[in-house]
Amino acid sequence: MHFSAMKKINVITLGCSKNTVDSEHLMARLAAAGYKVDFDSDRTDAKIVVINTCGFIGDAKQESIELILRAAAAKQAGQIERLFVIGCLSERYADELRAEIPEVDDYFGARDWNGIIRALGASQDPALDTDRYLTTPQHYAYLKISEGCNWMCGYCAIPLIRGRHVSVPMERLEEEARKLAAAGVKELIVIAQDTTYYGVDLYGERRLGELLHRLCRIDGVEWIRLHYAYPTEFPDDAIEAMASEPKICKYLDIPFQHISDAQLHAMRRRHTKAEAYTLVERLRCAIPDLALRTTLLVGYPGETDEDFAELMQFVRDVRFERLGVFAYSEEEGTYSARELRDDVPEAVKQQRVERIMALQNEISLEANRRRVGCTERVLVDSRQGDYYVGRTQYDSPEVDQEILLPVAAKRLLRGHFYDVRIDEASDYDLYGHAIPKNAAK
């Protein structure tokens, strides 16, 4: 179908940063085909709407369904002409969605990008494979290095949605990163379902370390940040790269989920408690100022008070700089949904979430107070009210804490680096002021 060059399209993205990258690739093809692209806009007169859905957990699925229903009502009211749904939710539930919400013109899954490209008359030029239409602030971008996952953890539906692990060729990633840098991106956030598995399918071995070294050679990129590392068989060359390359942030997002051997076995994680502690020690020894972010899962089937006590002790022992915790919810089609009974009461799950976070609040506050008086390099992301909002290398956008700098003190520019003296600390925020470079210690 042909659309006029002036036609507007609104692409709405839900879910994780991996979905963000998918939408940005799609929008680059739409822009090349003559569309005026809006994203995540509720104040647009666009007559075509594309919703990139999340289907990972119950709350995210509900948010996607509610947004589809609102868009379908807008279509019935004549406010929009065409409505398409793509992504994880429609990968899993396309047939059910077609039956329940027939107002949508078509549904495409998370792996069917050619279908949505053809339906919208977007450009199919292979030269656009590494082009992006950024929806993040111009100075940082996500770089997705692989798709899917082979681990098949008991609670996780991602392999059912996204399929098995498929690495993006290194040369293509370098080209994409160079284009991002040329567009003003200073921070690359490397993401995948499991970044440490990168390269196994293409090169017969893990090649994350080599990729990181190559990305560090790209002019314009000043920070490289690593997310979503699986603990099992963590590659030595990635640790070496993080320790030796000054552009790589001393930051690692490594979701451990749990620590008791009984729970790790039930979750079908491929490591033991002892191996997790050993890995943390290896990382901290090789990279002494490393900020570790983890994600924990409580209330998984069979989790006992003793299992939870081990998890609390793990948090005390490791003192993660950043931590998130979630209560288990059963996901259709997963091993735990098929084979295990969701036997931990919801009230107990929530109590365990709250106890972990109360402990983490104490740890975070103590760590932040130790930083008062230090000078750190800060990247300014935005201005909010009376403060500029920035981050150090130890903080990732949208998920971690921020440094707040008073607007009245000095004019700062978004996307620029400054030396900042830390003046005050709370549990999840720091306050400081920018200082002249020649005054930094």
Side-chain angles (χ1 to χ4, degrees), residues 109-180:
R111 292 175 270 180
D112 188 16
W113 290 96
N114 286 333
I116 186 66
I117 287 167
R118 286 193 300 270
L120 293 171
S123 174
Q124 300 186 55
D125 184 354
L128 296 174
D129 285 351
T130 55
D131 281 16
R132 301 262 293 277
Y133 185 107
L134 281 187
T135 61
T136 55
Q138 187 181 20
H139 57 276
Y140 71 79
Y142 298 98
L143 185 69
K144 186 163 72 168
I145 66 172
S146 65
E147 187 62 87
C149 184
N150 289 358
W151 290 110
M152 299 297 292
C153 298
Y155 49 82
C156 183
I158 291 297
L160 305 175
I161 299 169
R162 294 275 181 170
R164 293 184 62 78
H165 179 98
V166 179
S167 301
V168 179
M170 209 170 296
E171 294 74 18
R172 177 173 163 176
L173 291 170
E174 288 179 283
E175 180 181 329
E176 187 170 326
R178 280 193 294 270
K179 288 181 178 179
L180 291 169

Side-chain angles (χ1 to χ4, degrees), residues 26-53:
L26 174 62
M27 286 187 282
R29 292 188 175 278
L30 293 169
Y35 284 98
K36 183 184 184 303
V37 181
D38 290 331
F39 61 91
D40 297 337
S41 178
D42 56 5
R43 293 183 299 275
T44 179
D45 59 351
K47 295 300 183 183
I48 307 169
V49 174
V50 177
I51 302 174
N52 189 357
T53 58

